[in-house]
Amino acid sequence: MSMIKTHLICSALFVVFGCAFAFLGNGEKFRRKVTVELNPGLKPPSTLPPGVGLVHVRALGDNDTLHFFLYDHGAPTVLLVHSNSTESTMQVDWPEFINRSSSGSLKVEPERSVQYSRALVFTRLWEYSDVNNTADPQHTAESSFYPPYELQNFTWSGLNASVNQSDHTVMFCGGDETASFINGSLCLQFSAFESEGRPSAWPSLRHNANCSQLHVWLDGVTPRANYSRFSLELQTVGDSGFQGRVDVRSSIDDEYTPSIFKVSQWVSSPVNTSTVWGYTQWKPVAYRKPKPVFEDATPCMHSEPVSMTQLPQSGLVQAYFKDSHTYGLNISFGIAGDPFYNVTNYLSWTVLMGMGDPPVDSFSTLIIAIMAVGLGTPLVIVIVGGVYILIRKRTSQSTGYEPIN
């Protein structure tokens, strides 16, 4: 009977932990082949301004292609174009593109293969004096706001020296001629991915082969007040017929981003439908030091997206889109009681941009193990107890009194 109980216990544990590891092994296996080009097709006499570059990232799938474009002249922009062809290519009319004289100077051909296009543009950096320590820019007096930093007027470091072919990353930093940026800069690092994964550094956003990541940080900028906080203005430009909204989803697992149980998703859907074609995704947290630790985390908030009447001052947007719609929102950093920017003179934030449904955080190994133990232990007790009672009953029924001589 002892051997039967042991066998039953082992079988039950095998079932429970087998199910748990089945969850763990259910990762996305889809991969893309990623290549990075700098100024593709640019030949004399066409020349870009000094330090300016156009980067084309091509992510080839089994039956489609993602094209990412970055351009550091004007407002920093990432343009995503999804083509249902594995043979699609990008075409640039360089004289027209450089002069910004007409839309259509940047294309993905064949144009009929293009299924979806969306650009994410970083337009302004706002600074305000939070004397009352409310960290609520929407209800802060206009007199507390300083003139915004227009990112279209920034001078950016050249992309030429920052393209990393092996890691599929591109980085550029910029600033203006004001005293605030003498020793400081605003930097962006773009990363493309061949497969599913998660960076080790917080916020450790889960990515897949259908998206890219932008890591943004403000470093060494001299604030214009002792109580300064910052807000970043973003705009998305997409094909007409699409609408934007921000969904906020909750989770019970914060292992990858400690103390953060939500994710914000600025999704793009055709009008009158809920089908998501593209997204911008972030966790509502920023960090006040280059190497994030729990003590340096600061929450961030977003405003609701609003429709914009004009296109942002972006060379990529003006070169690619012919019929488009623009939305904008602000990401504000910090909450009431949090340290102000001048405590560390550093602030970083990370966002994903991709096609299709946003990645969903699966339960971590730790959470799955806890669930397996929590659910498996009662199950084992019930099974073993039931079998034990059944065996005792059968043993009792088969035992009779011996006759007495």
Side-chain angles (χ1 to χ4, degrees), residues 121-195:
V121 188
F122 295 79
T123 49
R124 291 184 181 90
L125 179 67
W126 293 92
E127 180 181 358
Y128 65 99
S129 180
D130 189 20
V131 177
N132 295 325
N133 199 6
T134 61
D136 187 0
Q138 296 188 56
H139 295 91
T140 299
E142 289 187 15
S143 58
S144 299
F145 278 84
Y146 296 97
Y149 296 104
E150 300 285 350
L151 302 187
Q152 68 193 46
N153 298 327
F154 273 29
T155 300
W156 302 97
S157 60
L159 294 174
N160 304 25
S162 66
V163 174
N164 188 315
Q165 296 280 355
S166 58
D167 292 340
H168 312 133
T169 60
V170 182
M171 188 184 76
F172 52 102
C173 299
D176 62 9
E177 297 180 354
T178 62
S180 296
F181 279 88
I182 291 179
N183 297 311
S185 59
L186 174 67
C187 298
L188 299 91
Q189 178 171 297
F190 169 91
S191 302
F193 307 108
E194 293 186 336
S195 61

Side-chain angles (χ1 to χ4, degrees), residues 15 73 93 106 109 121 173-174 185 196 198 203 212 227 244 248 272 306 308-309 312 319 350:
V15 171
H73 189 49
D93 183 334
L106 173 66
E109 296 183 338
V121 188
C173 299
S185 59
E196 183 188 64
R198 190 189 300 271
S212 62
Y227 308 101
V248 179
N272 299 325
V306 296
M308 312 293 288
T309 57
T350 305

Side-chain angles (χ1 to χ4, degrees), residues 161-385:
S162 66
V163 174
N164 188 315
Q165 296 280 355
S166 58
D167 292 340
H168 312 133
T169 60
V170 182
M171 188 184 76
F172 52 102
C173 299
D176 62 9
E177 297 180 354
T178 62
S180 296
F181 279 88
I182 291 179
N183 297 311
S185 59
L186 174 67
C187 298
L188 299 91
Q189 178 171 297
F190 169 91
S191 302
F193 307 108
E194 293 186 336
S195 61
E196 183 188 64
R198 190 189 300 271
S200 57
W202 295 346
S204 302
L205 293 175
R206 181 185 180 187
H207 62 254
N208 58 33
N210 288 332
C211 70
S212 62
Q213 177 178 283
L214 277 163
H215 182 56
V216 186
W217 66 95
L218 195 64
D219 186 14
V221 174
T222 304
R224 288 176 279 189
N226 292 328
Y227 308 101
S228 282
R229 298 195 191 275
F230 286 91
S231 179
L232 188 61
E233 180 183 291
L234 307 177
Q235 294 186 21
T236 62
V237 183
D239 301 317
S240 291
F242 283 79
Q243 59 188 356
R245 70 178 188 274
V246 177
D247 297 332
V248 179
R249 301 190 180 277
S250 300
S251 171
I252 64 171
D253 187 0
D254 73 333
E255 179 182 352
Y256 300 110
T257 313
S259 78
I260 304 300
F261 295 91
K262 293 182 179 179
V263 61
S264 300
Q265 300 173 166
W266 189 4
V267 299
S268 177
S269 302
V271 176
N272 299 325
T273 73
S274 58
T275 304
V276 175
W277 283 44
Y279 62 88
T280 304
Q281 183 192 69
W282 67 91
K283 292 213 175 162
V285 63
Y287 295 96
R288 294 189 297 270
K289 287 186 180 179
K291 294 184 178 180
V293 294
F294 180 79
E295 292 77 12
D296 296 320
T298 183
C300 59
M301 300 174 289
H302 67 269
S303 63
E304 288 301 312
V306 296
S307 180
M308 312 293 288
T309 57
Q310 293 182 336
L311 287 174
Q313 293 298 310
S314 161
L316 274 179
V317 167
Q318 295 168 355
Y320 179 80
F321 287 99
K322 297 177 183 178
D323 188 13
S324 61
H325 199 142
T326 304
Y327 289 90
L329 59 71
N330 292 326
I331 305 290
S332 57
F333 305 103
I335 59 174
D338 267 7
F340 299 101
Y341 175 78
N342 62 2
V343 172
T344 60
N345 278 10
Y346 185 90
L347 194 63
S348 71
W349 178 67
T350 305
V351 60
L352 295 181
M353 179 186 181
M355 178 272 298
D357 290 320
V360 178
D361 264 334
S362 58
F363 287 123
S364 66
T365 307
L366 176 62
I367 294 297
I368 292 176
I370 292 172
M371 291 173 63
V373 173
L375 296 175
T377 301
L379 177 62
V380 171
I381 292 173
V382 170
I383 293 175
V384 173

Side-chain angles (χ1 to χ4, degrees), residues 5-62:
K5 287 198 292 184
T6 303
H7 177 73
L8 290 170
I9 292 173
C10 291
S11 299
L13 288 174
F14 178 81
V15 171
V16 171
F17 287 102
C19 293
F21 284 105
F23 279 112
L24 285 174
N26 193 26
E28 184 180 330
K29 304 300 182 183
F30 175 67
R31 297 184 65 88
R32 291 184 181 275
K33 182 181 179 180
V34 177
T35 56
V36 184
E37 301 176 277
L38 178 64
N39 302 327
L42 179 63
K43 298 177 182 178
S46 297
T47 57
L48 287 167
V52 173
L54 171 67
V55 173
H56 172 221
V57 179
R58 189 171 188 263
L60 179 64
D62 295 333

